[in-house]
Amino acid sequence: MNKAGRFEVYDDHEGRGGHEGHGGREPNDDSPHGGSSHDDSPGGKEHDKNRAESGSGDTTRGADGMSSGQGDGHDPAVPKPDPDEPPRIPLPRASVEDTGRPLPDLADLPDLADPAPRRPPLVLEHRVLKSLLGAWALAACSPEETAAVEEHLGDCGFCADEALRLREAVGLLHPAETLDLDPSLRTRVLEGCLERRPPRIPVPGWATPYDAETARLDALLQDFGDAEWHAPVRLRWFERDEPTSRRTTVAGVIAHLLAVDGLVAIALGLEDPMGDVGADRPTPSARTEAYWRASHYPPTRAVRAPWREQTHDLVRTVSFTGDGTEGGIGGGGKLSVPYGDFELPLRDAMLDRAFECWVHAEDIAEAVDYPYEAPSGSDLHQLVGLAARMLPTVLAARRRVGLAAPSPGSHRHLVPVGEPGRSLRLEIEGSGGGEWLIPLDSPAAVGSAEHEVAHIALDGGEFCRLAAGHVSPTEAAAGQMGDREAIRDVLFAAASLSRM
């Protein structure tokens, strides 16, 4: 590189320390001068001595140890090296072991683990530390401030309580997020695929929630180890207006779903998953207890395969039966599924199984401390609609056993079939919400806005937790307006929909 800062073309002859005008001799590697051309004969040595004293000759050695042309062989375009400038090519470094000097003492070397002196801890007043609690809860304090606040929390009970409340509030601002995909993503992907290539035999719309919820639960179970499969789970429901619970394990919950789904399998002519195990009554709870008792050991992960295979068989079979209105074959709408104490049409039974699958999936996710999302909006709307349709029948049954007896002075009376009667407006907010008019005096009556006597508004998730027996009717977060007794009857009827 010349003084103007530009790179010049490097000549290979220059790199060897000679030019063709100098005779074209190759450098001698054995020379003590690193390749300068000279003669070792006495005459040659005398010639080199005279040339060095006179300052003339073909080559001279610059400060960088490289030879450059002089005299006739010198290229004027190549500047002479400046002896005051550092060499353009750095020389190789010599190891300290090769110099013969002693190695430095380790005690004299700097401490690389702690290169900077530690700062003394902050000493702050109580009012300053109290003002930092909000930033500490948000993890926005500096390391010194964090250490000072946490040391203060061990001595000040008031600030410790306030810090706990602030940290819990931050947890509400940032709820745990599931690693699973959006529940509606599967539905959207399937819809896109089916639009491009419609199926020959489609899955009925009332069976898609069951298909989706069983797939989501199976995805939750696929990575469970032995510890998760034996994690304790408490099943909760309401029985005669009293909260009831039953303790089992994750594997026990899947065994419960297998046994109760078997009611639908039997109605469709499929094999009963319980085999030769008999139950005292053909009810969901009796079948579950019999299945648990028949197991010599607590259910393990082995129960997952038969449960998942049965769900596939149910979806495939109902797709062939259908109800005649959605491309199915046969009369699926005429089939009914007996639950022991009552019966449900096939389409409602599939929605009922989808609802219970979702509820118990949340129980399992809570047991293993894993977040679990609600179903997609369209599926949730169908599940809420099933509960709303069942409320009039449940109200009538509760009234017969005295759990929803009319208060003195009321003017309730049976309404003829198909006639409008006193109604309650059930408004479900959020994804999958809507409005339903619930007839209060007879399941055969028709809900009427003109005869509306009460109004209840609930979030969709809150209503489903109420119908699952996870929330007490007296503690449900519901907006209420109108007849208080009618509101109470409907809320308790929703909770009585739950069962094991």
Side-chain angles (χ1 to χ4, degrees):
M1 189 173 184
N2 57 18
K3 293 184 178 180
R6 293 184 294 104
F7 284 98
E8 300 290 350
V9 178
Y10 182 81
D11 189 356
D12 187 61
H13 299 291
E14 295 178 6
R16 292 195 299 265
H19 296 274
E20 294 180 359
H22 302 157
R25 298 183 58 186
E26 296 293 335
N28 188 357
D29 292 340
D30 296 333
S31 170
H33 298 288
S36 297
S37 177
H38 64 279
D39 191 356
D40 290 337
S41 62
K45 292 181 180 180
E46 185 66 18
H47 171 71
D48 290 343
K49 179 179 179 181
N50 297 334
R51 183 176 58 183
E53 291 176 354
S54 61
S56 61
D58 294 331
T59 59
T60 59
R61 185 164 301 278
D64 57 355
M66 298 180 62
S67 62
S68 58
Q70 298 288 341
D72 296 338
H74 174 66
D75 187 357
V78 179
K80 296 181 180 180
D82 189 350
D84 297 332
E85 292 183 356
R88 289 179 294 174
I89 301 177
L91 299 177
R93 296 182 179 180
S95 176
V96 66
E97 289 89 348
D98 299 335
T99 61
R101 293 177 294 180
L103 297 176
D105 191 0
L106 294 178
D108 299 335
L109 297 177
D111 188 3
L112 300 179
D114 190 12
R118 296 182 178 179
R119 300 179 180 178
L122 292 178
V123 179
L124 303 176
E125 299 180 1
H126 172 82
R127 60 180 182 83
V128 178
L129 294 170
K130 182 180 178 181
S131 65
L132 291 174
L133 292 179
W136 172 84
L138 293 171
C141 288
S142 65
E144 294 80 9
E145 292 173 341
T146 300
V149 170
E150 292 178 351
E151 182 179 359
H152 177 68
L153 295 181
D155 300 331
C156 181
F158 175 80
C159 289
D161 294 339
E162 181 67 17
L164 180 60
R165 288 192 292 269
L166 291 174
R167 182 58 63 87
E168 292 176 350
V170 171
L172 296 176
L173 294 175
H174 301 280
E177 296 182 358
T178 177
L179 299 178
D180 298 330
L181 299 177
D182 184 1
S184 62
L185 178 61
R186 182 177 183 272
T187 302
R188 296 198 303 268
V189 171
L190 288 177
E191 289 178 352
C193 295
L194 296 178
E195 287 178 359
R196 299 174 68 90
R197 184 179 179 183
R200 185 172 61 89
I201 300 177
V203 177
W206 43 267
T208 54
Y210 179 79
D211 186 26
E213 292 310 308
T214 53
R216 288 210 300 149
L217 176 54
D218 186 61
L220 175 66
L221 300 174
Q222 65 180 353
D223 293 328
F224 276 16
D226 292 336
E228 287 83 6
W229 278 102
H230 295 289
V233 180
R234 184 166 294 278
L235 305 179
R236 296 169 290 166
W237 69 96
F238 267 72
E239 188 171 344
R240 299 188 66 85
D241 295 348
E242 294 293 335
T244 308
S245 64
R246 181 73 157 80
R247 184 176 177 179
T248 182
T249 62
V250 170
V253 174
I254 302 303
H256 164 61
L257 293 176
L258 174 68
V260 183
D261 285 356
L263 293 172
V264 184
I266 295 172
L268 292 172
L270 300 177
E271 183 180 356
D272 187 356
M274 296 185 62
D276 298 334
V277 178
D280 299 336
R281 300 180 60 204
T283 61
S285 58
R287 286 175 59 87
T288 300
E289 295 289 351
Y291 191 90
W292 286 344
R293 288 193 304 267
S295 301
H296 298 288
Y297 301 98
T300 62
R301 67 169 69 236
V303 75
R304 176 192 173 196
W307 166 77
R308 189 60 174 137
E309 183 178 357
Q310 179 177 254
T311 62
H312 288 156
D313 292 340
L314 291 178
V315 174
R316 186 183 305 111
T317 305
V318 299
S319 299
F320 279 95
T321 57
D323 62 356
T325 61
E326 301 188 27
I329 301 174
K334 300 176 183 179
L335 291 177
S336 61
V337 179
Y339 279 75
D341 298 331
F342 60 93
E343 291 185 359
L344 287 177
L346 176 60
R347 58 190 307 136
D348 288 348
M350 292 298 293
L351 291 175
D352 171 76
R353 303 314 307 143
F355 180 83
E356 187 166 0
C357 181
W358 165 43
V359 170
H360 289 325
E362 283 195 335
D363 293 335
I364 293 173
E366 181 180 356
V368 299
D369 196 20
Y370 191 85
Y372 201 79
E373 297 292 337
S376 62
S378 59
D379 292 348
L380 185 60
H381 181 79
Q382 293 195 65
L383 302 182
V384 173
L386 170 65
R389 292 197 309 270
M390 297 177 65
L391 283 176
T393 304
V394 175
L395 276 171
R398 289 174 56 84
R399 189 173 293 114
R400 285 194 298 267
V401 297
L403 295 177
S407 60
S410 64
H411 301 285
R412 290 192 178 90
H413 60 281
L414 293 179
V415 179
V417 176
E419 295 294 329
R422 291 185 332 121
S423 304
L424 177 142
R425 183 180 297 274
L426 176 63
E427 180 183 355
I428 303 301
E429 302 171 342
S431 177
E435 290 188 358
W436 290 265
L437 288 171
I438 311 300
L440 299 174
D441 297 331
S442 174
V446 176
S448 173
E450 297 178 356
H451 298 79
E452 180 180 329
V453 297
H455 187 178
I456 299 178
L458 294 94
D459 176 73
E462 185 76 359
F463 177 76
C464 290
R465 284 188 287 270
L466 174 65
H470 289 188
V471 177
S472 171
T474 58
E475 298 175 356
Q480 306 174 9
M481 183 178 64
D483 190 336
R484 308 299 298 180
E485 191 176 70
I487 293 173
R488 179 187 180 279
D489 287 345
V490 170
L491 290 178
F492 274 85
S496 65
L497 291 171
S498 62
R499 61 179 182 275
M500 185 177 72

